[in-house]
Amino acid sequence: MKSKHDLDDFRELTDLLTDLELDDATPKVNIYNRLKFKLESGNIQLHEKDGIYMKMNNWKAATVSAVAVVCLLGAFSTTSFAQGMLQMILARFQVGNMEITQYDKELPATQSNTQGSNTPIELKEHPQMTLEEARAASKMDFPAPTWMPEHYSYKNTVVHGEGMVEIQYKKEKEFISLLISNGGENGIRTTEGVKIETIGGKKVYFANGIVIWEHEGFTYELYQMAEKSFDAATIGNIIESLSTKSAKK
């Protein structure tokens, strides 16, 4: 569709939709789904003059959903339906098998925010297992730290299903959990800023208090239950010490 439409031609309809407040959820969903379908099928195209320009006809579902909401917000900006319809995605980051999604606001209370690895790891009692036993049980020859900050001692390695292990370290009342995974899809949702630094030759992501990086095909998530978080130098030493060999004595 190459013709350009003057929005003034539809001013009366726009004004009507602006003042419309729907009580029934069914019409709201129908409006959104129809507009989303028309965007996906190419029946509606947004021109560069409107501030949005896409050359590809096959848009990703998330992009189409976001653009559909932008269109609807133009007509329903004063309604409660428009204001709470969608939580906008600000950015996505891929770290190994981990996707970090940054939102502009908290998820609505009716939706679950428990997916992914954005909750602290609970310290539970598990059968004692060495790194070598965990490698055999998980069938993953994962590199593990051969160095840890002073006074942190190895506690245990726990196999969490297929493709994920957790190495635990402890110093008095402080606790470190290092999740190592390979394959599958994991995700973290956050409304906070995502910081990215290059440490130990790796691109390291900081989100929701978790330190995340990728190494030799494995995704590492470092959780710290301590009074003070590790600085970049300490994290770099941990990353550089990763090995399938035994830890230094």
Side-chain angles (χ1 to χ4, degrees):
M1 182 171 63
K2 297 182 179 179
S3 61
K4 298 181 179 180
H5 300 286
D6 186 353
L7 292 179
D8 290 336
D9 294 342
F10 305 97
R11 184 59 56 193
E12 183 177 351
L13 175 60
T14 301
D15 292 340
L16 177 63
L17 292 174
T18 300
D19 297 330
L20 180 63
E21 183 71 44
L22 298 175
D23 295 326
D24 186 1
T26 302
K28 301 175 185 179
V29 175
N30 289 339
I31 292 172
Y32 171 74
N33 288 336
R34 288 180 182 180
L35 179 54
K36 179 174 178 290
F37 172 76
K38 289 181 180 294
L39 283 167
E40 288 177 322
S41 62
N43 292 329
I44 295 179
Q45 296 181 7
L46 302 175
H47 297 284
E48 192 170 7
K49 69 169 187 174
D50 297 323
I52 304 175
Y53 179 70
M54 299 291 290
K55 292 183 179 180
M56 298 178 60
N57 290 327
N58 296 324
W59 299 357
K60 290 185 178 180
T63 303
V64 172
S65 298
V67 174
V69 169
V70 170
C71 293
L72 284 176
L73 287 179
F76 296 104
S77 58
T78 61
T79 68
S80 59
F81 167 55
Q83 295 170 0
M85 184 169 58
L86 181 70
Q87 181 190 39
M88 298 299 293
I89 296 175
L90 299 179
R92 292 181 187 273
F93 308 90
Q94 191 69 40
V95 194
N97 62 3
M98 171 71 68
E99 182 180 68
I100 305 172
T101 306
Q102 183 182 3
Y103 293 90
D104 66 336
K105 61 182 179 179
E106 294 291 344
L107 288 173
T110 56
Q111 297 185 26
S112 172
N113 194 25
T114 59
Q115 297 179 353
S117 303
N118 53 349
T119 54
I121 303 301
E122 295 182 5
L123 180 58
K124 298 180 179 180
E125 292 298 327
H126 293 276
Q128 194 68 29
M129 186 177 292
T130 66
L131 286 171
E132 291 304 322
E133 290 171 338
R135 288 185 177 112
S138 64
K139 298 180 180 179
M140 297 191 305
D141 192 21
F142 55 88
T146 56
W147 179 91
M148 270 289 164
E150 189 177 7
H151 303 309
Y152 275 97
S153 60
Y154 173 85
K155 179 178 175 59
N156 196 11
T157 301
V158 181
V159 177
H160 291 286
E162 183 178 353
M164 179 179 289
V165 298
E166 175 194 355
I167 308 178
Q168 302 173 346
Y169 302 88
K170 191 175 182 181
K171 183 184 76 171
E172 298 178 351
K173 295 182 179 181
E174 296 185 358
F175 178 71
I176 297 175
S177 173
L178 182 62
L179 280 182
I180 306 174
S181 59
N182 183 11
E185 296 181 358
N186 298 311
I188 291 177
R189 296 174 175 178
T190 182
T191 56
E192 301 176 358
V194 178
K195 185 173 68 172
I196 306 173
E197 292 185 22
T198 300
I199 304 175
K202 302 291 182 181
K203 187 176 286 188
V204 180
Y205 296 76
F206 298 81
N208 283 1
I210 311 169
V211 185
I212 310 163
W213 70 89
E214 189 272 338
H215 177 77
E216 295 185 4
F218 292 91
T219 304
Y220 290 75
E221 303 168 54
L222 179 64
Y223 297 77
Q224 302 174 65
M225 299 181 188
E227 294 181 1
K228 185 178 180 181
S229 299
F230 291 159
D231 57 19
T234 302
I235 295 172
N237 288 336
I238 294 174
I239 292 175
E240 292 174 355
S241 76
L242 292 173
S243 175
T244 54
K245 299 179 181 179
S246 299
K248 298 178 182 178
K249 300 296 184 180

